[in-house]
Amino acid sequence: MICSYKTFTRNYTQRRLIYSSTKIIPKENLSAPAYKPEIVEKNKYEEWKTKRIFEAKLNSENNTFSIVLPPPNVTGKLHLGHALSSTIQDVIVRRQRSIGQNVLWLPGTDHAGIATQSVVEKYLKTKQNTDRHAIGREKFTEEVWKWKEVHGNTISEQLRLLGCSLDWSREVFTMDEKHMDAVNTAFIKLYKKGLIYRRKTLVNWCNALKSTVSDIEVENKTINGPTELMLPGYEKVVKFGLIYNFVYKILDSDEEIVVCTTMPETMLGDTAVAVHPEDTRYIHLKGKKVVHPFRKTTIPIIFDRFVDMKFGTGVVKITPAHSKVDNEIARHHNLPLLQVINEDGLMENAGEFNGIKKYDCRVKLVDTLNSLGLLKSVSPHQMTLPICSRTGDVIEYLPKEQWFLSCSGLNKKARQAVEDKSLKIEPAKFEKNWFNWTNDNRDWCISRQLWWGHRIPAYKCSADKNIVWIAATDELSAKMEASKYLRTVPEEIMAERDTDVLDTWFSSGIYPFAALGWPNIDERDYRKFYPLSLMITGHDILGFWVHRMIMLGMELTGNLPFNKVLLHGIICDSKGAKMSKSRGNVIDPIDIIKGISIDGLKEKVVTMHKDGILNEEELKKAISYHKSNFSNSNGIPACGVDALRFTLLSNDIKSHFVSFDVYQCHANKLFCNKIWQSIKYTQISYEKLKETSEEVTVEDLTYFDKWILSRLANMVEDVNKSLDVYDFHLATKSLRTMIYNEFCDIYLEATKPGFDRDDIKTRYAHAHTLSAVLETSLRCLSPFMVYLTEELIPKIPAFETNIIHNFKDQEKDYFDFPNSKDFKIWKNLELEKKVNKLLNTIFLIREVKGFYNVPNKIKSSIFVKTTDDKLITDLNRNKIIVQNLSKSGDIKINESINAMVVNVVLDKDTEIYVEISSAVESTAIKEKLQKKINKLEDNLLKLEAKLSSNHYINTVSEISQELDKEKLISKREELKRLRRLI
């Protein structure tokens, strides 16, 4: 009899008998005897693309779910950070599709102005022995486009390899014509609102880039004492962490004052010295001047309350052209700016030091001061060094006219969005960082002195000596607008377009809406999928990107671009160290997927060194890391895509750091094989079924059938709850526990006696359970292991109707995700409690046999002394299964013991006695066990003391603390197991 699932549910709840079909649906056999990722993954992605199953539907009436892939650099290659972020997104969107949502996951790549220009410049130098200045801007731009066409799709192809279900029909590149139009529109709109302005001020200048960088691209590095750094453009190290005290002579006096500085070369641009107005040491110098020893001119002594009387000598040199603090002071005192370092990092307006590199000048200048008797001392000193996060060069502050975005008003709105809960940041601990960003009202310098990028849509318009800057898309529009201000006809106006480009983060900031068609608000994608449902990215670019998207999205579209942000951690190695070239611990995900020998790893990093990607020190560290971590396995074993994805999400992605262990990944490949073998076992088991006219009902399900269904119901609930709140590590843990430990290790073994007997109903009950549990489990697993589940779900043996659950049509483009409420009827906590005690009995027998080296081939007798009537009943009903799972002989309950045994306590009601060989010296083994317990207890006490100390809590990184906590839990569990054996 065939019935619908609703009928089945209603009847079951009314305790009626439910009947199932015994007609088996033919299924294809497995393609190999064991799991081989290279076979399973082959051609599947191309099939998905051909079916266009990842494309969002404009005419769908289903609820929409939309996200964008944070666009990786067009120069990029897949690294573990990309793999983590894209796997998180893919799991989310695959599940959303499988519960009926109309999903858009939009792919794209970023033109990456600085990174791409650097790569192409290096390419031109290596291949053509030329540079951009030699070939000119137009030709250089052509070369970049050529390079992009040849090399720019690498990371997109690698994302396909990773199984990412992106809608490639909508792929975006941030230099596409539509995106360029959106960038120009955004700039002009913001300019007309008065939010973008141009002014001359001190900017962060990177000599290595020959460009300005924004404040948030500057890392303030603390130098605690004399420190040597290798900087771009220098062949020798440059020493920092020193303070130089030198003399300024008072004009027309024998007096002198001592000033101190960490950057002596900037004294060539000093235009004043300053003291505190209440400093009694210097009050008599009011109105006096000092003589500049190199310019042979005088500079004033000024009085300003910003000076710290207690620091150094209480006298401060003022260099307005090269210090932001000094620049502010100069404005208050009307001091001139004298620029002595140019955009190439060379000295200018510096007399005898002209044309020298600034740090070479430092050495020469200090020697000269010393020879003139003006150098008083050089001593160690703590300082903060501004470093360009992109090049590692020391930032110079230079006066330069640039474009800025006013941020105070935009920040207020962005801050308010989180305060009133219209924007949710998850995990909430990062809200503090959000408020730090939005409370920083420094304006954003958005112009860059590059050739590759979005050229600023602004024109310098002049008539006679009058000049006005106009934001416009073309020269004619600029002249028309300028004529209103210059009071002349457009034909008499000269218009010159700005040669600078916009900061890449500006175009990235409008990406969520520009990628969907803005400024054309009638664009169907924009109307249907904007605002986005969610933004997923690393917490390290909360300020760089998320902050900018919120500011620009609210201002330009009137909406938050998304209402929720999920921030994930930064990828680290298995020891908790952040992956970086400088540490040598970077692991290529492609090497994890396909495998690579230790020689292959070495050859790879040597090539990277030759190509200039790694320096000599980074090469040595990489080779050393590979030797210490991968020599024993002769490299990295091939793990496949699914094991990589599953491993990445087996850690708490909301932690500050996410550790990755190659060997855990390989263990998950073995987990894939375990699943493969379970399908194989199920197929073989179905072959043992004989045709029957008997009716198979729910009442025919066995004790272990009902237990595994209860565990299945728990797993489905846990996975759904975990995925709803992005706790992927809890979902993967629940899946692995259910499939590996409970289904494969226990339930499959428990079905073997049933399939070997002639009880037809038991065989069919097992068969229905196997099919339903595998089908449900693999559907829950499918967002994580995309290739394996695609391969196996259609091959799970099945009946026309299953007494447990009937899934919807398998011919759909993707598998429906199991709903928790559909499986609640199988929950049986009382049964689980009973089975747990039975299993604990089995596990204890196994432990004893293992500890006393009793081989499984020796079927030792087991004696159980218990007053627990439920356990007695369960042992008697499942004796064959207990024997099978514990690899033991006869199970004797409350009988006299007539053999040499060791006994262990299960609980207050039950003791277990395991027969051992007469050759085993149980006393010696127990003494050895006690020593092991004592040692473990001692180690635990030390570890607990370490983890609770204030020094440890305040100084050790979060990821290391998490790893230590896991170690503590593991050791406690081990101690608990060992104590049971005494």
Side-chain angles (χ1 to χ4, degrees):
M1 175 180 176
I2 300 175
C3 67
S4 72
Y5 179 68
K6 286 183 178 178
T7 305
F8 157 60
T9 304
R10 183 176 65 248
N11 289 348
Y12 181 78
T13 54
Q14 294 173 1
R15 311 304 297 168
R16 296 179 185 170
L17 296 180
I18 309 304
Y19 306 96
S20 72
S21 166
T22 56
K23 184 175 181 182
I24 299 172
I25 301 172
K27 298 283 178 151
E28 185 184 343
N29 288 329
L30 296 174
S31 56
Y35 169 66
K36 295 185 182 298
E38 64 273 19
I39 294 175
V40 171
E41 294 162 16
K42 190 176 182 181
N43 297 330
K44 281 192 173 53
Y45 202 93
E46 288 305 313
E47 291 171 11
W48 293 332
K49 275 182 62 184
T50 301
K51 292 180 181 178
R52 302 173 68 178
I53 63 176
F54 303 145
E55 293 182 17
K57 310 295 189 294
L58 282 169
N59 56 358
S60 172
E61 295 181 0
N62 293 353
N63 291 334
T64 61
F65 181 88
S66 56
I67 63 172
V68 296
L69 178 80
N73 288 355
V74 71
T75 58
K77 292 185 179 179
L78 189 71
H79 57 63
L80 276 176
H82 289 133
L84 172 66
S85 189
S86 55
T87 301
I88 291 168
Q89 293 167 72
D90 195 39
V91 168
I92 290 171
V93 301
R94 282 178 180 269
R95 178 169 178 255
Q96 290 297 323
R97 283 195 199 98
S98 68
I99 60 176
Q101 299 277 66
N102 180 24
V103 171
L104 170 63
W105 184 18
L106 188 75
T109 46
D110 191 278
H111 65 280
I114 293 171
T116 306
Q117 181 162 310
S118 298
V119 167
V120 177
E121 284 192 273
K122 189 178 291 184
Y123 170 80
L124 289 174
K125 186 66 178 174
T126 304
K127 301 295 182 182
Q128 300 178 24
N129 194 28
T130 188
D131 59 34
R132 63 186 169 108
H133 298 288
I135 63 176
R137 183 168 190 152
E138 187 176 341
K139 179 66 175 172
F140 177 75
T141 304
E142 289 177 11
E143 290 293 333
V144 179
W145 276 108
K146 286 179 187 176
W147 186 93
K148 189 265 178 187
E149 291 306 312
V150 175
H151 304 283
N153 293 323
T154 300
I155 197 162
S156 297
E157 291 303 318
Q158 290 174 331
L159 288 168
R160 290 179 174 92
L161 172 66
L162 200 61
C164 296
S165 56
L166 291 146
D167 184 349
W168 296 105
S169 69
R170 290 174 164 89
E171 188 174 7
V172 174
F173 177 50
T174 56
M175 287 290 282
D176 286 343
E177 189 175 336
K178 282 187 177 180
H179 199 82
M180 291 183 77
D181 177 56
V183 170
N184 290 339
T185 302
F187 183 95
I188 293 167
K189 280 180 177 286
L190 294 168
Y191 176 83
K192 288 180 177 179
K193 287 185 174 190
L195 291 171
I196 286 179
Y197 64 91
R198 185 177 176 88
R199 72 180 172 96
K200 187 173 185 178
T201 186
L202 286 197
V203 296
N204 306 314
W205 182 264
C206 176
N207 294 122
L209 286 176
K210 299 291 188 292
S211 176
T212 55
V213 294
S214 65
D215 289 335
I216 64 171
E217 291 169 295
V218 178
E219 297 174 355
N220 291 311
K221 182 176 184 176
T222 300
I223 304 291
N224 291 315
T227 304
E228 292 181 339
L229 298 178
M230 197 72 216
L231 299 177
Y234 286 84
E235 295 179 359
K236 295 180 180 179
V237 293
V238 180
K239 186 173 284 187
F240 296 92
L242 298 171
I243 192 162
Y244 302 81
N245 293 309
F246 68 92
V247 167
Y248 269 123
K249 300 279 188 183
I250 308 295
L251 179 66
D252 299 329
S253 169
D254 293 333
E255 272 192 273
E256 61 186 28
I257 55 174
V258 178
V259 298
C260 50
T261 180
T262 56
M263 300 180 294
E265 66 279 4
T266 62
M267 67 85 62
L268 295 168
D270 287 355
T271 57
V273 292
V275 295
H276 194 281
E278 295 175 6
D279 195 332
T280 56
R281 292 171 293 178
Y282 305 113
I283 288 176
H284 67 287
L285 297 177
K286 196 164 188 179
K288 299 282 188 178
K289 295 183 178 182
V290 298
V291 178
H292 196 285
F294 298 108
R295 297 207 303 267
K296 307 302 181 185
T297 58
T298 60
I299 57 177
I301 299 172
I302 63 172
F303 288 76
D304 197 292
R305 292 187 176 276
F306 97 94
V307 178
D308 182 356
M309 289 187 285
K310 296 178 181 179
F311 178 76
T313 62
V315 184
V316 179
K317 60 190 281 301
I318 306 298
T319 319
H322 299 286
S323 164
K324 291 186 177 181
V325 173
D326 293 3
N327 190 267
E328 285 297 310
I329 294 165
R331 286 201 298 133
H332 294 146
H333 293 271
N334 295 315
L335 297 174
L337 273 67
L338 178 60
Q339 183 175 343
V340 294
I341 302 172
N342 67 18
E343 294 178 5
D344 294 319
L346 304 177
M347 304 305 295
E348 65 178 20
N349 302 317
E352 64 186 276
F353 302 102
N354 276 346
I356 303 174
K357 289 182 181 178
K358 60 182 178 179
Y359 294 124
D360 292 340
C361 171
R362 174 181 294 184
V363 176
K364 185 176 179 182
L365 182 136
V366 169
D367 287 343
T368 306
L369 284 172
N370 190 41
S371 66
L372 294 172
L374 300 177
L375 184 67
K376 287 292 184 182
S377 65
V378 180
S379 55
H381 184 70
Q382 186 185 67
M383 63 181 294
T384 300
L385 206 58
I387 301 291
C388 175
S389 62
R390 295 185 177 274
T391 64
D393 201 3
V394 177
I395 291 295
E396 190 61 59
Y397 301 114
L398 301 182
K400 196 168 180 63
E401 201 172 90
Q402 296 288 279
W403 292 98
F404 292 85
L405 176 68
S406 177
C407 293
S408 57
L410 302 179
N411 269 332
K412 186 177 179 180
K413 293 177 185 176
R415 185 167 56 252
Q416 183 65 36
V418 172
E419 288 174 343
D420 65 19
K421 307 300 181 186
S422 53
L423 174 65
K424 182 180 179 183
I425 296 176
E426 194 168 337
K429 64 182 178 181
F430 288 111
E431 285 184 4
K432 180 181 177 182
N433 302 64
W434 183 259
F435 294 129
N436 287 341
W437 283 109
T438 54
N439 286 331
D440 182 354
N441 285 325
R442 287 177 295 178
D443 290 346
W444 173 16
C445 178
I446 57 174
S447 45
R448 298 290 180 268
Q449 288 64 53
L450 303 172
W451 286 5
W452 172 246
H454 294 104
R455 195 163 171 185
I456 292 175
Y459 291 80
K460 182 180 182 181
C461 298
S462 59
D464 295 328
K465 294 182 180 180
N466 298 317
I467 296 172
V468 63
W469 278 92
I470 301 295
T473 54
D474 57 66
E475 185 177 323
L476 179 59
S477 301
K479 287 181 177 180
M480 292 289 290
E481 183 69 17
S483 65
K484 300 174 186 176
Y485 302 95
L486 299 175
R487 298 183 179 182
T488 186
V489 294
E491 292 76 15
E492 294 182 3
I493 295 173
M494 295 289 293
E496 181 184 354
R497 186 166 183 177
D498 197 338
T499 57
D500 288 353
V501 300
L502 284 163
D503 180 4
T504 303
W505 290 110
F506 184 88
S507 64
S508 299
I510 68 168
Y511 188 80
F513 43 97
L516 292 172
W518 184 92
N520 179 8
I521 59 174
D522 292 325
E523 176 73 34
R524 294 178 70 190
D525 277 356
Y526 180 82
R527 282 191 289 123
K528 192 168 186 69
F529 298 110
Y530 186 80
L532 302 174
S533 308
L534 179 65
M535 173 54 63
I536 304 153
T537 190
H539 68 73
D540 55 326
I541 56 172
L542 177 66
F544 284 89
W545 191 37
V546 180
H547 177 217
R548 270 78 179 271
M549 287 189 286
I550 294 297
M551 287 198 303
L552 295 175
M554 293 177 78
E555 188 62 33
L556 292 169
T557 72
N559 290 309
L560 284 166
F562 36 81
N563 294 103
K564 186 185 287 187
V565 183
L566 174 61
L567 300 171
H568 60 74
I570 308 304
I571 203 80
C572 296
D573 65 19
S574 59
K575 296 179 178 65
K578 185 178 176 181
M579 288 190 178
S580 67
K581 290 192 297 180
S582 61
R583 288 190 176 95
N585 62 347
V586 175
I587 304 172
D588 187 339
I590 304 301
D591 292 339
I592 298 167
I593 293 169
K594 298 185 176 181
I596 187 170
S597 68
I598 195 76
D599 290 335
L601 284 168
K602 183 177 180 179
E603 183 181 336
K604 189 170 186 175
V605 293
V606 167
T607 302
M608 291 170 73
H609 173 59
K610 289 178 181 176
D611 291 343
I613 299 170
L614 299 178
N615 62 35
E616 189 71 33
E617 188 63 26
E618 290 166 346
L619 172 64
K620 289 177 182 176
K621 286 187 177 180
I623 292 172
S624 175
Y625 180 81
H626 295 154
K627 281 183 180 178
S628 60
N629 286 273
F630 306 127
S631 287
N632 291 341
S633 55
N634 191 33
I636 299 175
C639 298
V641 171
D642 288 322
L644 172 61
R645 290 167 59 105
F646 195 82
T647 306
L648 285 166
L649 297 195
S650 294
N651 297 283
D652 184 359
I653 62 106
K654 297 177 189 174
S655 293
H656 213 75
F657 297 100
V658 178
S659 61
F660 182 86
D661 187 344
V662 166
Y663 296 105
Q664 183 192 2
C665 190
H666 189 250
N668 282 327
K669 179 193 176 184
L670 301 180
F671 173 39
C672 293
N673 187 56
K674 195 87 168 176
I675 297 168
W676 188 275
Q677 298 305 324
S678 71
I679 304 291
K680 188 176 178 181
Y681 171 82
T682 304
Q683 289 184 341
I684 293 169
S685 298
Y686 264 61
E687 290 171 4
K688 296 179 180 178
L689 298 177
K690 298 175 183 177
E691 286 190 25
T692 179
S693 58
E694 292 190 55
E695 294 167 339
V696 181
T697 75
V698 168
E699 299 302 320
D700 293 314
L701 294 174
T702 69
Y703 181 82
F704 274 94
D705 290 334
K706 292 173 183 175
W707 169 75
I708 198 64
L709 290 172
S710 183
R711 297 305 303 144
L712 179 73
N714 278 306
M715 183 273 285
V716 172
E717 183 177 20
D718 287 347
V719 169
N720 275 291
K721 282 182 178 178
S722 300
L723 292 182
D724 284 342
V725 294
Y726 315 120
D727 284 334
F728 304 104
H729 64 301
L730 299 181
T732 54
K733 182 180 180 181
S734 184
L735 282 161
R736 203 175 197 281
T737 299
M738 166 64 199
I739 298 171
Y740 200 116
N741 303 112
E742 296 170 344
F743 181 72
C744 293
D745 283 355
I746 297 171
Y747 179 71
L748 290 190
E749 292 297 320
T751 63
K752 287 179 180 178
F755 278 115
D756 289 340
R757 294 205 308 268
D758 288 331
D759 185 339
I760 293 174
K761 287 195 174 185
T762 297
R763 286 185 176 184
Y764 272 92
H766 285 341
H768 277 274
T769 306
L770 282 169
S771 178
V773 173
L774 275 172
E775 179 97 357
T776 305
S777 299
L778 295 198
R779 284 176 186 257
C780 285
L781 182 67
S782 63
F784 299 93
M785 294 188 172
V786 296
Y787 292 114
L788 181 69
T789 52
E790 179 81 3
E791 176 81 10
L792 293 184
I793 289 176
K795 295 178 181 175
I796 296 171
F799 298 99
E800 282 188 345
T801 308
N802 193 294
I803 61 172
I804 295 154
H805 186 81
N806 282 312
F807 280 97
K808 296 174 186 175
D809 187 6
Q810 286 188 349
E811 298 305 314
K812 286 177 64 175
D813 290 334
Y814 42 81
F815 304 114
D816 294 312
F817 201 85
N819 191 319
S820 304
K821 66 182 181 182
D822 293 341
F823 293 87
K824 280 184 177 178
I825 58 170
W826 297 108
K827 271 197 174 185
N828 189 333
L829 297 181
E830 186 59 35
L831 174 65
E832 285 193 35
K833 189 176 177 181
K834 289 168 62 181
V835 175
N836 281 345
K837 185 156 186 178
L838 185 65
L839 291 174
N840 282 337
T841 304
I842 293 166
F843 297 151
L844 192 53
I845 294 168
R846 283 181 181 175
E847 284 185 46
V848 172
K849 289 184 66 182
F851 194 76
Y852 286 89
N853 298 317
V854 179
N856 285 333
K857 64 182 179 182
I858 296 176
K859 303 301 179 184
S860 305
S861 294
I862 307 298
F863 301 86
V864 180
K865 298 285 187 180
T866 184
T867 57
D868 186 335
D869 292 336
K870 290 180 180 177
L871 179 61
I872 292 170
T873 301
D874 290 339
L875 283 168
N876 282 322
R877 285 181 177 174
N878 298 283
K879 191 171 283 189
I880 296 174
I881 292 171
V882 173
Q883 289 173 311
N884 192 40
L885 287 170
S886 64
K887 309 298 181 188
S888 301
D890 196 12
I891 308 290
K892 299 179 181 181
I893 306 166
N894 292 332
E895 295 184 18
S896 58
I897 299 170
N898 55 6
M900 179 176 282
V901 295
V902 289
N903 74 298
V904 287
V905 176
L906 179 68
D907 56 30
K908 63 183 179 62
D909 303 316
T910 308
E911 285 189 59
I912 310 293
Y913 299 79
V914 179
E915 182 183 11
I916 60 172
S917 165
S918 57
V920 173
E921 179 50 67
S922 61
T923 304
I925 288 177
K926 287 207 173 187
E927 287 175 358
K928 184 180 177 183
L929 175 61
Q930 188 60 58
K931 286 180 181 177
K932 191 172 183 180
I933 289 172
N934 293 342
K935 185 177 180 181
L936 188 55
E937 286 174 336
D938 187 49
N939 289 339
L940 260 174
L941 285 172
K942 290 177 181 176
L943 186 58
E944 286 168 345
K946 172 187 168 185
L947 268 58
S948 60
S949 74
N950 287 330
H951 177 75
Y952 174 86
I953 293 167
N954 294 327
T955 60
V956 175
S957 68
E958 181 185 339
I959 183 66
S960 295
Q961 290 192 38
E962 287 298 319
L963 292 171
D964 283 341
K965 284 175 186 175
E966 289 176 15
K967 190 189 298 181
L968 182 67
I969 293 167
S970 175
K971 285 185 179 296
R972 282 174 177 165
E973 286 297 316
E974 184 184 356
L975 182 60
K976 185 178 176 182
R977 289 196 304 271
L978 292 177
R979 281 174 173 165
R980 295 204 316 175
L981 299 175
I982 286 291

